Amino acid sequence: MERLSKSEIIFKTLAHILISVFAVLALYPVIYAVSASISGKIAYETNKVILFPVDMNFQVYKLIFDDKGFWISYINTLFYTVFGTAWSMFISVTGAYVLTKKRLLFRKQLNLFVVFTMWFNAGIIPMYLNYVNMNVNNRWGIIVAFGVQAFNIILMRNYFSAIPESIEEAALVDGVNEFQLLWRIFIPMSKASMATVTLFYATSRWNGYFWARILLTDPMELPLQVYMRILVENYQAMIDDMGDLLPYAADSYVYAILVCSIVPVLIIYPYIQKYFAKGVNMGGVKG
Amino acid sequence: MTDLVKKNGLNKEKLTQYKLYNGLKVVGKDWRLYLLLLPVLIWYLLWMYKPMAGLLISFKNYQPNLGVWGSDWVGFTNFKNLINGPYSTQFWRAFRSTFLVSLYGLIFGFPIPIFLALFFSEIGNKFYRNLTQTFTYLPHFLSEVTITGLVLTLLYHGEVNTGVIANLLFQLNIVPEGTKLFQDAAYFRPLYIITGIWKEAGYSSIVYFASIMGISPVLYEAVKVSGGNKLQEIRYVTFPGMAPTLTIMIILRIGQMLSIGYERIILLYNENTYDTADVLSSFVFRIGLEQGNSALGASAGMFNALIGFALVMGANFISRQISETSLW
């Protein structure tokens, strides 16, 4: 162990303290939400819940799980996430792959064509009119019309172009065609970046709210985020009308809904987390 | 090109034909490659570029039944209405708010991830570092609806319940007892900015952390050998090592100054807080979608996008001049 100078010891201690504080602050609302959702009404309303649950019970979860609308929206979100992510990945992977090829005609222009949308886009209103015009106010429309991001394409493109050309040449000599090259060599060789971008797309699909709320009219097609927001909006009215009559704290119900939306993220995230620092780093922010 | 004309005795017309033929041959040989290009090309044309043509409605008196093309041209009337018409008060208020919210976000939000990255790099215990990094990245992956839901409940001040954070703020006398945080315009911006820091600071630190990890340890040794302390190490090694990343991140931030995410604003604001909360994008949303004045909304949106675009270009240009680091 090398000896540390005084300034280093001070700095290290400070770093540990501040990072710990920040980590606790980052996590606190999530932990609190879990605790508040399973605490008893009286304990909650008398502000006894600070971190851990008090008078634990799970009645609000029973309420949520008995609610058909919740399950419909949950399944809808799963549907949008799975198919939407697959679609976004399909476009991004093929696009990124092609854009790395030096022999591609108009490569520079095509790259600019994709990157330009990071700096300038039509804006909400023309996009809205286009979506209405193209009839995307349904399940498949939401999947097809949304969720491809230039940043992700660039990230993958940079990753692909780091794969040595000699590998590609060797494969081509062996008679492998372009499709096989992408599928059997480029994709397996960039697992970290694939995992990272999949996570990005999946979370943005899972979290998608705005356009779904504006475009979807059929209540059977609403995703969880929209359903959740409607519940939160009704929250005030709920308390004012019958807060005293409810056997549980109205907040507990809202917190429980929020917890349900976080759980899948919490489950998947640690597995992919190890990839993305590397994935983002490799992708860099070069335009 | 002129060489080719001379050598082969081709005239201009023949040369074009020759190039076209050659081009087709190149594409034909690589048809698989071009087939793979199609999805991304079509997607961008349909969903990104086609709407740009729809920006024409900024210059039209848009009637939904006539469509973008059928509506009458009105020149700059919509823009005049924004700048100097019935909507001008709201428009300029939103314009000012956009700048202020971005500026505060930049001042308070930009340095924090840098410090976090510095501190992360000091934590030698890899397990503890990974753990704390995992925790601090987490909020980034939660949805805006979840985040605002949490904020609303944690800070709610109702008759029966008081959110736990609101309670804390009251007890510490940071906010006067009984303040309804969401109904009071004075609290919107701090709320928005703190929420933003909570959500993104940890995650934004990744890129800085990566650039610190990329600095050669030899440089730190050199400072140590010459008797430098920790602050000098940071001053002479860490910061210069992070400089390119810092420059790029600041260009990105400046470029995005006018494009504040509208989701969180729309989810958090209400009529009582419009004074401080309404930014250009939420203004566009309200006027254009909620009130159905598409043409005016599109004009405001275009105004916003053009200034944003100019900001990116400007920031990039300046950065290339002073530091040779640029986005492109």
Side-chain angles (χ1 to χ4, degrees):
Chain A
M1 187 78 200
E2 57 176 320
R3 271 191 58 216
L4 297 173
S5 69
K6 204 175 153 203
S7 67
E8 276 176 319
I9 293 168
I10 295 170
F11 196 76
K12 246 189 185 19
T13 317
L14 194 71
H16 275 86
I17 295 170
L18 288 175
I19 287 291
S20 306
V21 169
F22 199 85
V24 168
L25 287 179
L27 213 56
Y28 178 71
V30 176
I31 295 171
Y32 181 80
V34 175
S35 301
S37 71
I38 53 176
S39 289
K41 181 178 184 175
I42 294 166
Y44 178 82
E45 283 175 0
T46 50
N47 296 318
K48 289 219 173 67
V49 183
I50 303 296
L51 179 64
F52 294 113
V54 181
D55 294 343
M56 226 158 57
N57 70 69
F58 294 88
Q59 52 182 339
V60 287
Y61 285 95
K62 193 178 173 305
L63 212 68
I64 290 170
F65 295 153
D66 284 343
D67 173 8
K68 237 182 168 175
F70 170 78
W71 288 111
I72 291 170
S73 68
Y74 215 86
I75 291 165
N76 283 337
T77 293
L78 274 175
F79 177 83
Y80 294 129
T81 305
V82 172
F83 287 97
T85 306
W87 172 247
S88 305
M89 283 302 283
F90 170 66
I91 292 179
S92 308
V93 171
T94 51
Y97 174 73
V98 175
L99 290 174
T100 55
K101 296 287 172 263
K102 295 215 172 65
R103 64 179 187 282
L104 180 76
L105 293 176
F106 304 112
R107 189 170 83 110
K108 265 199 169 153
Q109 288 83 345
L110 286 166
N111 268 305
L112 187 66
F113 177 80
V114 171
V115 173
F116 181 68
T117 58
M118 278 170 74
W119 311 126
F120 186 86
N121 63 57
I124 324 178
I125 308 298
M127 282 188 161
Y128 172 75
L129 295 176
N130 187 43
Y131 293 140
V132 170
N133 184 259
M134 306 276 283
N135 290 317
V136 297
N137 53 349
N138 54 59
R139 284 181 204 280
W140 293 106
I142 291 284
I143 285 171
V144 171
F146 293 91
V148 176
Q149 278 145 23
F151 179 80
N152 290 340
I153 297 182
I154 293 160
L155 210 125
M156 275 196 218
R157 190 199 65 190
N158 292 354
Y159 211 94
F160 282 156
S161 44
I163 293 174
E165 269 179 61
S166 53
I167 291 178
E168 186 179 344
E169 280 158 17
L172 287 172
V173 169
D174 288 342
V176 168
N177 72 35
E178 211 68 66
F179 298 152
Q180 294 165 328
L181 194 63
L182 172 60
W183 187 247
R184 297 217 194 124
I185 295 171
F186 275 72
I187 293 177
M189 280 188 78
S190 15
K191 273 200 195 115
S193 129
M194 292 290 143
T196 309
V197 177
T198 306
L199 177 74
F200 288 167
Y201 278 139
T203 40
S204 88
R205 292 284 187 169
W206 182 269
N207 292 337
Y209 163 75
F210 182 77
W211 288 109
R213 175 111 200 219
I214 288 178
L215 292 170
L216 293 174
T217 43
D218 185 348
M220 296 299 282
E221 295 184 344
L222 293 183
L224 181 64
Q225 303 294 337
V226 176
Y227 189 74
M228 232 164 65
R229 178 62 189 184
I230 294 170
L231 285 175
V232 174
E233 277 166 9
N234 295 340
Y235 155 76
Q236 177 94 49
M238 192 162 95
I239 300 170
D240 290 350
D241 288 355
M242 45 189 245
D244 296 340
L245 301 173
L246 295 173
Y248 52 89
D251 284 6
S252 297
Y253 187 66
V254 175
Y255 278 123
I257 289 270
L258 297 176
V259 170
C260 290
S261 82
I262 299 175
V263 166
V265 180
L266 289 183
I267 292 172
I268 300 168
Y269 161 78
Y271 295 101
I272 309 188
Q273 202 255 119
K274 61 175 187 244
Y275 288 115
F276 65 63
K278 203 172 147 208
V280 172
N281 187 22
M282 275 301 289
V285 273
K286 282 170 283 175
Chain B
M1 199 164 79
T2 42
D3 281 355
L4 203 66
V5 175
K6 264 186 210 157
K7 221 188 273 170
N8 301 334
L10 294 168
N11 61 26
K12 268 226 168 110
E13 199 185 323
K14 278 236 175 95
L15 181 71
T16 320
Q17 280 177 5
Y18 171 80
K19 280 171 79 179
L20 191 70
Y21 171 73
N22 237 3
L24 283 176
K25 220 169 71 182
V26 170
V27 174
K29 203 183 101 224
D30 271 337
W31 65 271
R32 287 188 180 88
L33 195 63
Y34 290 91
L35 191 65
L36 288 173
L37 177 68
L38 276 184
V40 80
L41 201 64
I42 294 172
W43 193 90
Y44 270 89
L45 279 175
L46 278 184
W47 307 111
M48 284 289 166
Y49 285 90
K50 186 166 164 264
M52 285 187 202
L55 277 172
L56 284 179
I57 67 165
S58 313
F59 305 102
K60 292 193 168 210
N61 176 18
Y62 179 74
Q63 308 278 330
N65 52 329
L66 297 175
V68 174
W69 298 102
S71 302
D72 294 330
W73 291 98
V74 291
F76 286 95
T77 312
N78 289 318
F79 290 96
K80 278 181 199 149
N81 269 341
L82 280 180
I83 291 168
N84 200 2
Y87 285 97
S88 60
T89 329
Q90 279 189 53
F91 174 73
W92 288 115
R93 183 183 68 188
F95 187 77
R96 190 169 162 266
S97 271
T98 308
F99 261 111
L100 286 178
V101 170
S102 293
L103 192 68
Y104 295 146
L106 197 68
I107 294 171
F108 298 106
F110 192 76
I112 291 178
I114 301 169
F115 286 117
L116 280 178
L118 259 177
F119 294 145
F120 276 132
S121 70
E122 282 300 314
I123 295 180
N125 181 334
K126 217 174 165 198
F127 173 77
Y128 189 64
R129 193 180 72 207
N130 281 337
L131 192 75
T132 46
Q133 278 180 324
T134 305
F135 290 165
T136 52
Y137 299 167
L138 178 68
H140 169 83
F141 292 94
L142 307 182
S143 75
E144 291 294 0
V145 174
T146 307
I147 302 271
T148 46
L150 282 175
V151 173
L152 290 166
T153 32
L154 290 171
L155 291 175
Y156 184 70
H157 184 71
E159 281 169 32
V160 193
N161 308 322
T162 309
V164 66
I165 306 241
N167 226 358
L168 184 74
L169 294 175
F170 295 156
Q171 275 172 11
L172 295 177
N173 266 328
I174 297 173
V175 168
E177 177 86 39
T179 310
K180 297 201 166 178
L181 289 153
F182 297 106
Q183 309 295 326
D184 194 332
Y187 295 101
F188 187 87
R189 284 176 192 156
L191 247 165
Y192 178 83
I193 285 159
I194 292 169
T195 316
I197 291 172
W198 176 73
K199 187 173 192 293
E200 302 297 346
Y203 186 75
S204 316
S205 74
I206 293 181
V207 63
Y208 300 112
F209 181 72
S211 79
I212 293 175
M213 290 289 112
I215 297 170
S216 160
V218 179
L219 296 171
Y220 288 105
E221 289 303 318
V223 177
K224 233 182 255 173
V225 169
S226 41
N229 63 24
K230 193 70 211 170
L231 284 178
Q232 284 166 324
E233 263 179 38
I234 292 169
R235 165 82 183 74
Y236 294 107
V237 180
T238 313
F239 269 114
M242 290 168 81
T245 310
L246 274 171
T247 319
I248 297 227
M249 296 316 278
I250 206 129
I251 302 174
L252 283 171
R253 278 301 281 264
I254 291 172
Q256 289 164 351
M257 271 195 84
L258 281 171
S259 52
I260 294 171
Y262 45 85
E263 265 196 349
R264 198 173 342 133
I265 299 258
I266 291 167
L267 291 170
L268 274 178
Y269 81 168
N270 56 54
E271 282 162 46
N272 296 312
T273 48
Y274 282 169
D275 265 347
T276 51
D278 196 23
V279 295
L280 281 171
S281 47
S282 53
F283 172 79
V284 169
F285 164 77
R286 204 173 56 251
I287 302 296
L289 288 183
E290 285 191 332
Q291 297 174 15
N293 197 338
S294 308
L296 205 66
S299 316
M302 187 156 115
F303 185 84
N304 191 355
L306 285 176
I307 299 182
F309 188 61
L311 279 173
V312 188
M313 294 296 163
N316 194 52
F317 175 78
I318 293 169
S319 141
R320 202 160 40 192
Q321 299 296 313
I322 55 172
S323 70
E324 292 178 356
T325 306
S326 67
L327 284 171
W328 61 87

